[in-house]
Amino acid sequence: MSGTMLTRESLVEQYKQTHPGSQKLHDRAVKVFSANGATHGARILEPFRPYITHAKGSRKWDVDGNEYIDYGMGHGSLILGHSHPAIVQAVQEQMAKGVHYSENHELEVEWVELIKKLMPMVERTEFCACGQEANIMAIRLARIFTGRKKVLRFEENFHGWADEVVSKGAAGVVAPEVTIIPMNELNKVEEELAKKEYAIIMTEGGGAHMAGQIPWDTEFIHALSGLTKKYGTLWLIDEVVTGFRDAPGGWQSLVGVTPDMTTLGKCVSGGLAVGAVVGRADIFEAFNPKTPVERRIRHTGTWNANPLLCSAGVTACKLYLDGEPQKRAYELGVYLRDQGNKVLKKLNISGRLYGRSIVHLYLGPIDYEPSDPNLPPTKDVKKIINPAMVTLRSQLCLHLLQRGIATLGARFFVLSAAHTKEDIDQTIVAFGSALDGIVAEGILERT
Ligand SMILES: Cc1ncc(COP(=O)(O)O)c(C=O)c1O
């Protein structure tokens, strides 16, 4: 794939020429999937994303033989990289032993004991099929425990697509008990909590979007524990992305806070579909069959803790225990961040790469120089989530794909322990050339 200068139209033309097999599959897909042929909102791209045949480590390959360094990493779930040999072996062996027994089994106990070892706040766990389901379960638990109905959430915080966790006012959503307030405004939180109507307050681990595209202020997060206790609301940290990615103990161990409940997903299973609510034992009494029926949850779910999933989960969690995969992904993230920022500076493009093992790309004015490179150079949410940038980012994403770099919408780079320094060096060259490309097309200006 070439990295020469292109006009916008010629880039699309060249992309189509180098992706004829993907084009054919896309043509079939649009007849059956209404989201321009895609099966996930983040995979919608004009003209289309590549169709992948296989992946290994940090790389994936499409039907036309194009190779990509992958920065989607299973929507953040693959901190060990694609097809980690230990996970592949565990799943293959379990497949032969049985996928689903409709019974209890040892692996589910082993897995939960490992999760408990990793995250000290875990007294009880309830497994389900995905992260969003875990969040919905956490809301139900909180309502039963507190006897209240309302849910307090924060702007931009992502918890899934179901009614009570998606953006307020989204099409078709009915969630009258949900209040959404701006992030990092402690007075506003106290004003709401003081009404003593809220069962739960939900915060995304690290900050809004993939571990902190919009980070939390440290003082704000530290104040939440005291405030929620004072007003009788349960505090949930949604660590679906950050759990066991940021550290063996999750993001909460980095900042030193302990919520009442945590939700997990993605990395906790090493890459198979999973969700889990973990937290205080007294809250989980709702699952006890001896609890009076009006305070009880009879939790069903065909895929809860199935043996195939548990085989991957046990293997992954054992690998997380010493913190090595997290450390490696973090160090690679720092390297990508630092090298990428040199490129932005050299090309006179106003922007910043920031973050930990998920590196976010900000393109916009530099309002201040943060002392911490994990933070964006502005506190203005409207600049970080700027709808005017969507077209630019799609185009940048296409430029990167054409140069063998796969991102989801050029918003962030998800690292894994399987990436290498050489991957990053190659990425940085492509990043510079892709930025030059969109500058040449007149959709991004130099300072
Ligand atoms: C913070 C957060 N919570 C919840 C979810 C939903 O998880 P799932 O897609 O497994 O339902 C996601 C998905 O990306 C997420 O990023």
Side-chain angles (χ1 to χ4, degrees), residues 38-53:
T39 49
H40 185 296
R43 297 181 210 141
I44 300 171
L45 183 72
E46 280 292 341
F48 50 82
R49 289 194 69 88
Y51 280 75
I52 301 300
T53 53

Side-chain angles (χ1 to χ4, degrees), residues 146 148 150-154 179 181 185-203 220-221 223-236 260:
T146 61
R148 301 174 179 176
K150 290 186 82 169
V151 175
L152 189 56
R153 298 206 283 108
F154 292 94
T179 305
I181 57 175
E185 291 185 20
L186 216 44
N187 290 346
K188 189 78 192 146
V189 173
E190 181 145 24
E191 193 184 305
E192 290 300 324
L193 290 184
K195 295 175 185 167
K196 296 196 176 175
E197 292 173 345
Y198 290 95
I200 188 167
I201 181 168
M202 301 174 70
T203 48
F220 178 88
I221 277 299
L224 285 186
S225 176
L227 276 184
T228 49
K229 278 189 182 65
K230 182 171 170 191
Y231 296 112
T233 297
L234 295 184
W235 179 22
L236 170 84
D260 301 294

Side-chain angles (χ1 to χ4, degrees), residues 130-133 135 158-160 204 210 238 240-241 266 274:
C130 66
Q132 142 168 294
E133 226 187 278
N135 285 327
F158 182 80
H159 303 290
E204 204 181 325
M210 297 302 279
D238 174 343
V240 168
V241 171
K266 300 194 193 257
V274 67

Side-chain angles (χ1 to χ4, degrees), residues 119-137:
M119 195 172 254
M121 61 84 69
V122 179
E123 291 176 359
R124 291 288 186 273
T125 297
E126 195 68 14
F127 286 115
C128 50
C130 66
Q132 142 168 294
E133 226 187 278
N135 285 327
I136 297 291
M137 178 60 86

Side-chain angles (χ1 to χ4, degrees), residues 157-178:
N157 278 229
F158 182 80
H159 303 290
W161 59 263
D163 282 16
E164 279 171 317
V165 292
V166 78
S167 321
K168 196 128 189 173
V173 169
V174 183
E177 307 291 354
V178 176

Side-chain angles (χ1 to χ4, degrees), residues 59 69 76 204 272 328 415 432:
R59 308 250 167 174
I69 303 172
E204 204 181 325
L272 268 65
R328 179 163 169 80
L415 277 301

Side-chain angles (χ1 to χ4, degrees), residues 69-84:
I69 303 172
D70 185 22
Y71 291 101
M73 281 290 138
H75 294 266
S77 60
L78 300 172
I79 195 168
L80 300 169
H82 289 284
S83 306
H84 186 285

